[in-house]
Amino acid sequence: MTLTIVGSQLGDEGKGALVDRWGGDADVVVRYQGGDNAGHTVVEGGVEYKLSLVPSGAVRGTTGILGNGCVVNPKTLFTEIDDLRERGLDPDVRVARRAHVIMPYHRVLDGIEEEVKADDDAGDEVGTTGRGIGPTYEDKAGRRGIRIADLLAPDVLREKLEYAVPQKRALVEDVYGLEIEGGDDRAEAFDVDALHEEFAAIGERLADEGMTVNCSDYLHRRREAGDEILFEGAQGTHIDIDHGNYPFVTSSNPTAGAASVGSGLGVTAVGDGEVVGIVKAYLSRVGEGPLPTELDGDADEEALADDIREKGGEFGTVTGRPRRIGWLDLPMLRHAARVSGFTGVAVNHVDVLAGLDELKVCTGYELDGEEIDTVPTTTERWERCEPVFAELDTWAEFDSAAVAEAGYDALPEAAREYLEFVADEIDTPIYAVGVGPDREETVELTNPFDE
Ligand code: GDP
Ligand code: IMO
Ligand code: MG
């Protein structure tokens, strides 16, 4: 069977932790979209791993695949693999030959576009991770992208660079009116010869280490052999380019449908399996865009947000930016459950909400005098939504390790009521409850691989 893990909110819901948790029962873990904008944390016995490209099954030694739907910065990938090797792991990672490559000019362009948007004071910068994700997907759609397979064929690589690079150069110089020359990194990023030398060498390493695969064919064969496949979504539903808060989104589809497109395994394989939405028990957002339940109304709310941020360690894994904090938003979860067809959810960070004086959940919005229960399709309308809150009972601090060991009934009663309220509202069963970052700090109600 397959298990697809999807972020239900705005990223950083704790997907890595659950992929690690259930990755022990999988034979292959596949990333199907995104790139090194992701930062997935796995904590095993107090030892923390932060993974951007290496799929989170690596800590358990499970084979990881970067599917054709991913955009891959091979330099980040090698650095991450080398770092993990130094730490005693031996990650087995393969990359789809159809996946697109993030080139140095994509990163430069990501930065330039964000700066230009920031300068015009229209508030339209996205707050990207600066990893070149958007510009790479643009080139993919524009049919001028460079794929992993091209790195293995130096002549093809040169041809593609000779087509793409002058266009990028013209974009920087003629559209943005900026200088490229100067002998610095920026100049190298637009130099065909320098790029060719660097990326042909990367191709050689990929080939030498046998790291590239025909993803669809590979996964099909693994499935035929009876292997279990876990799809590891990155980012989250509300920053999905189709279903999220456009334009404050990433440039791929984190939602479950992309597991098929981004890996080459049929929709029936994905649809036959389990699709588990990962939910943070409150909200965090890194980057720009609306957040109706944000705790930023007055000094008390800001102090509460600070407490939650500190306790939950809510600082971006990739960029270190402080994450914005809000109450759980059910309209957002209803949308996420529908778009991906969740068969279950895992609710994380229940420990972080312990010991609060008040606890709210947004059950719907008021917009232009009407009550609505789902997220409007435009940023302009979402921004004007006033959350309607339910107040729930709070719970006291508890011993996470003891609760995880004893099971669901050992959770404080008010925490169970909170979880059951959420499960009812989105009509989806709870498979797991996170009570801390460590692999052992998860209360498991259902292991999707046993279903
Ligand atoms: P991802 O991008 O969805 O994989 O999530 P991140 O790793 O970016 O952010 C989640 C953070 O919360 C990480 O530091 C995790 O170690 C941590 N985490 C995950 N689950 C829990 C939980 O249940 N409780 C607490 N306190 N931390 C958690
Ligand atoms: P994981 O997988 C949270 C956000 C960025 C920005 C927007 C676009 O760890 O949950 P991009 O660099 O993708 O073009 O930025 O998306 N973003 C994330 N936020 N978690 C992530 O990944 C994210 N990846 C991108 O902050 O708002
Ligand atoms: Mg993250």
Side-chain angles (χ1 to χ4, degrees):
M1 70 159 264
T2 66
L3 164 61
T4 304
I5 296 288
V6 177
S8 304
Q9 293 146 327
L10 295 147
D12 304 327
E13 300 90 349
K15 297 176 291 293
L18 271 304
V19 170
D20 168 70
R21 171 90 190 182
W22 289 321
D25 294 312
D27 300 291
V28 188
V29 176
V30 188
R31 282 272 311 269
Y32 55 86
Q33 44 71 233
D36 58 341
N37 50 346
H40 294 181
T41 315
V42 172
V43 186
E44 181 202 21
V47 181
E48 186 179 75
Y49 300 90
K50 294 204 173 282
L51 306 166
S52 275
L53 272 176
V54 171
S56 302
V59 180
R60 296 216 183 233
T62 309
T63 297
I65 306 284
L66 294 171
N68 53 274
C70 293
V71 287
V72 181
N73 184 329
K75 290 189 277 185
T76 325
L77 177 62
F78 289 148
T79 305
E80 207 170 300
I81 291 176
D82 292 344
D83 287 351
L84 291 172
R85 283 188 183 147
E86 263 176 40
R87 295 182 68 183
L89 297 182
D90 187 18
D92 172 16
V93 182
R94 321 284 174 92
V95 190
R97 289 196 278 273
R98 286 187 164 98
H100 280 249
V101 180
I102 300 181
M103 299 299 288
Y105 50 78
H106 290 129
R107 273 205 184 207
V108 174
L109 285 165
D110 195 354
I112 291 177
E113 189 158 0
E114 283 285 281
E115 269 170 42
V116 169
K117 283 182 171 172
D119 285 349
D120 72 7
D121 283 333
D124 51 2
E125 69 268 30
V126 176
T128 72
T129 59
R131 297 296 191 263
I133 305 295
T136 308
Y137 278 115
E138 277 182 48
D139 277 355
K140 173 179 177 176
R143 294 162 296 201
R144 68 184 88 83
I146 294 186
R147 303 198 298 176
I148 292 290
D150 302 330
L151 306 186
L152 309 176
D155 292 350
V156 178
L157 176 61
R158 179 167 288 279
E159 221 174 274
K160 303 229 159 157
L161 287 170
E162 278 170 358
Y163 179 72
V165 174
Q167 289 195 16
K168 300 297 147 189
R169 181 176 276 278
L171 188 57
V172 176
E173 291 179 336
D174 303 341
V175 177
Y176 292 117
L178 298 169
E179 295 254 341
I180 286 180
E181 302 309 335
D184 55 6
D185 282 359
R186 190 182 269 194
E188 291 224 330
F190 296 86
D191 178 329
V192 170
D193 287 336
L195 290 170
H196 186 265
E197 191 180 329
E198 186 179 11
F199 282 81
I202 286 171
E204 274 178 33
R205 176 167 170 184
L206 289 169
D208 286 349
E209 299 195 19
M211 283 178 69
T212 73
V213 288
N214 175 338
C215 187
S216 170
D217 183 56
Y218 178 88
L219 292 178
H220 182 72
R221 285 169 197 272
R222 295 290 302 245
R223 236 172 90 79
E224 293 269 285
D227 286 341
E228 309 269 27
I229 294 174
L230 193 164
F231 291 103
E232 175 175 9
Q235 290 82 51
T237 304
H238 293 272
I239 52 174
D240 180 293
I241 191 161
D242 283 275
H243 303 289
N245 169 217
Y246 194 89
F248 299 102
V249 292
T250 192
S251 302
S252 68
N253 293 114
T255 43
S260 171
V261 177
S263 71
L265 211 56
V267 285
T268 41
V270 177
D272 264 356
E274 293 272 335
V275 179
V276 178
I278 311 302
V279 177
K280 187 174 275 189
Y282 48 91
L283 281 184
S284 68
R285 179 164 204 169
V286 54
E288 305 304 320
L291 193 61
T293 66
E294 186 163 10
L295 285 161
D296 66 347
D298 55 28
D300 285 349
E301 284 196 354
E302 281 172 15
L304 178 55
D306 283 344
D307 286 350
I308 293 176
R309 188 176 300 114
E310 284 303 321
K311 195 168 168 198
E314 298 294 357
F315 298 88
T317 309
V318 176
T319 57
R321 291 177 286 180
R323 296 176 184 149
R324 299 155 62 195
I325 304 293
W327 294 120
L328 189 74
D329 184 314
L330 291 173
M332 286 173 70
L333 288 188
R334 288 186 194 108
H335 180 60
R338 275 194 300 257
V339 170
S340 286
F342 292 161
T343 54
V345 289
V347 184
N348 284 325
H349 299 84
V350 168
D351 55 310
V352 178
L353 291 184
L356 297 182
D357 295 329
E358 60 166 346
L359 181 61
K360 292 184 185 176
V361 178
C362 167
T363 54
Y365 305 130
E366 247 180 51
L367 178 64
D368 301 333
E370 266 181 55
E371 205 164 305
I372 55 174
D373 70 356
T374 192
V375 180
T377 51
T378 67
T379 290
E380 294 70 25
R381 283 169 64 78
W382 198 29
E383 210 154 48
R384 288 194 288 112
C385 282
E386 281 300 323
V388 176
F389 285 115
E391 294 234 13
L392 276 77
D393 287 344
T394 58
W395 54 92
E397 300 283 352
F398 56 89
D399 178 340
S400 292
V403 166
E405 201 177 327
Y408 184 76
D409 291 338
L411 277 166
E413 189 182 350
R416 280 182 276 128
E417 281 170 9
Y418 184 82
L419 292 163
E420 283 152 26
F421 180 72
V422 173
D424 268 4
E425 289 281 331
I426 60 171
D427 199 19
T428 309
I430 291 179
Y431 281 7
V433 182
V435 291
D438 211 283
R439 183 186 293 163
E440 298 309 321
E441 290 172 322
T442 298
V443 179
E444 187 173 291
L445 291 87
T446 300
N447 178 339
F449 280 115
D450 294 341
E451 285 299 282

